[in-house]
Amino acid sequence: MHKYVGRRIEIIYIAADGKLSQRTIHVLSVQGGIVRAFCMTTGAPRTFRIDNILAVQPAARPA
């Protein structure tokens, strides 16, 4: 995940309640198994446990 610091990516994430969500995030830092990011989906800062990130891909560029 360190290679994505400063980049926008799309993730599929399993939340603590077991629900899946797909989000576009701008990765701010990765430390101690936690990704700190700005979530473009919610428009707010968020943290994500690396263990709960199921898939990652670079975000599609706007047309």
Side-chain angles (χ1 to χ4, degrees):
M1 288 298 296
H2 291 284
K3 69 181 182 178
Y4 295 114
V5 172
R7 296 180 59 195
R8 266 186 14 163
I9 60 174
E10 294 178 11
I11 62 171
I12 296 176
Y13 182 80
I14 187 164
D17 63 5
K19 292 183 182 177
L20 290 177
S21 77
Q22 182 172 350
R23 298 175 181 270
T24 300
I25 62 173
H26 180 88
V27 180
L28 302 174
S29 67
V30 179
Q31 186 175 8
I34 301 292
V35 176
R36 291 180 42 123
F38 184 82
C39 181
M40 311 302 271
T41 305
T42 63
R46 294 282 314 268
T47 58
F48 302 92
R49 290 177 42 114
I50 288 176
D51 293 349
N52 290 350
I53 297 174
L54 305 176
V56 176
Q57 71 178 25
R61 295 188 182 263

